[in-house]
């Protein structure tokens, strides 16, 4: 295994413990040369990346040959951008795999991850959340929504799930949310037709902390299509906060 951490995105991570080569976004030729020299054929995208501006890209000679395709990729949502970048690598002989394909144990299973189960009111909110994400999916905006009392409180956009939950905290503090504390659900799901190799929804202990601060009853995600970080710690945190975390097969498109 060889890691290719990106400057501006992977600093402070554990990459130094592994064989690795630092690259700038746009150094496609450098990546391909070093990957082939190491005998790499399969490529897995991991982690999060703030969408760069075109001026933050540092193309090498190979990258310059892809400029037209890269510019077209930037004119669209994140799923369009990532899929387009993936196609560039695939056209040069690499095989792209999702993190879940090489490590299926990272996926959320069906059912509750802790001892708490959603109520019928929660299940109604979950159903509405999935319905909203299914309807909004073609616009390639976000993967999460907060619903309470069958009322959409917040929708994820460029800020990400954690900041969306922080926004719900502010809404409650400002009296903009009438739903009592302990109600409402964070619902996350991949967009319909999304390429799960690049941008699969994820949750972890920090998500539980954010949902708890937001006064929600729980978290619902799509089983077998959501990554879970530190599942044991997540389940323990959910039980301590008395909120549910559940994986369901009734996601968008089902």
């Amino acid at each position: 295994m060889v890691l290719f951490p990106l400057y501006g995105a992977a600093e402070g991570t554990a990459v130094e413990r592994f064989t690795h080569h630092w690259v700038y976004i746009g150094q496609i030729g450098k990546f391909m040369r070093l990957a082939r020299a190491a005998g790499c054929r399969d490529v897995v995208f991991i982690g999060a990346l703030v969408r760069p501006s075109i001026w933050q890209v540092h193309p090498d000679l190979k990258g310059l040959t892809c400029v037209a395709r890269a510019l077209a990729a930037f004119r669209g949502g994140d799923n369009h951008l990532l899929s387009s970048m993936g196609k560039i690598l695939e056209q040069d002989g690499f095989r792209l795999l999702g993190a879940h394909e090489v490590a299926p144990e990272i996926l959320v299973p069906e059912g509750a991850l802790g001892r708490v189960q959603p109520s019928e009111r929660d299940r109604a909110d979950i159903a509405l959340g999935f319905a909203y994400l299914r309807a909004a999916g073609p616009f390639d905006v976000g993967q999460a929504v907060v619903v309470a009392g069958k009322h959409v409180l917040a929708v994820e956009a460029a800020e990400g799930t954690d900041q969306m939950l922080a926004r719900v905290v502010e809404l409650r503090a400002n009296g903009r949310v009438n739903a009592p504390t302990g109600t409402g659900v964070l619902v996350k799901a991949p967009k319909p037709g999304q390429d799960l190799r690049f941008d699969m929804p994820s949750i972890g202990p920090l998500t539980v902390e954010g949902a708890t601060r937001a006064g929600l009853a729980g978290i619902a995600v799509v089983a077998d299509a959501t990554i879970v970080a530190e599942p044991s710690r997540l389940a323990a945190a959910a039980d301590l906060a008395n909120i549910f975390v559940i994986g369901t097969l009734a996601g968008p498109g089902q």
Side-chain angles (χ1 to χ4, degrees), residues 48-208:
L49 176 67
V50 175
R51 183 186 179 94
S53 72
I54 194 66
W55 310 113
Q56 293 174 303
V57 178
H58 300 262
D60 53 18
L61 184 59
K62 175 65 177 179
L64 287 173
T65 66
C66 302
V67 164
R69 283 179 289 172
L71 287 172
F74 268 79
R75 291 194 293 270
D78 289 345
N79 190 52
H80 172 71
L81 173 61
L82 291 166
S83 295
S84 298
M85 295 299 100
K87 288 176 182 176
I88 291 174
L89 295 179
E90 288 180 318
Q91 289 169 356
D92 277 84
F94 290 94
R95 182 174 69 165
L96 269 65
L97 298 173
H100 62 292
E101 295 179 277
V102 296
E105 66 275 11
I106 67 177
L107 294 177
V108 173
E110 185 179 8
L113 273 65
R115 60 175 174 78
V116 183
Q117 295 285 344
S119 65
E120 287 304 311
R121 177 180 58 190
D122 298 328
R123 293 186 183 279
D125 286 340
I126 293 170
L128 178 60
F130 281 138
Y132 169 82
L133 293 172
R134 181 168 57 250
F139 297 98
D140 198 4
V141 178
Q143 300 175 320
V145 64
V146 174
V147 181
K150 300 183 73 172
H151 176 63
V152 175
L153 301 184
V155 174
E156 180 189 58
E159 80 276 26
T161 302
D162 292 341
Q163 290 302 313
M164 179 189 67
L165 291 172
R167 200 151 37 88
V168 175
V169 174
E170 292 181 7
L171 290 171
R172 285 193 183 277
N174 295 333
R176 299 297 300 273
V177 174
N178 295 322
T181 300
T183 63
V185 183
L186 166 66
V187 182
K188 295 196 72 170
K191 303 159 193 170
Q194 182 172 335
D195 192 332
L196 298 181
R197 296 175 300 172
F198 304 118
D199 191 19
M200 186 176 286
S202 62
I203 58 172
L206 290 179
T207 317
V208 172

Side-chain angles (χ1 to χ4, degrees), residues 44 103 112:
V44 179

Side-chain angles (χ1 to χ4, degrees), residues 8-29:
E11 288 84 353
T13 60
V15 296
E16 304 294 339
R17 301 192 338 228
F18 305 92
T19 301
H20 67 281
H21 303 283
W22 286 90
V23 294
Y24 285 100
I25 297 174
Q27 290 186 317
I28 300 173

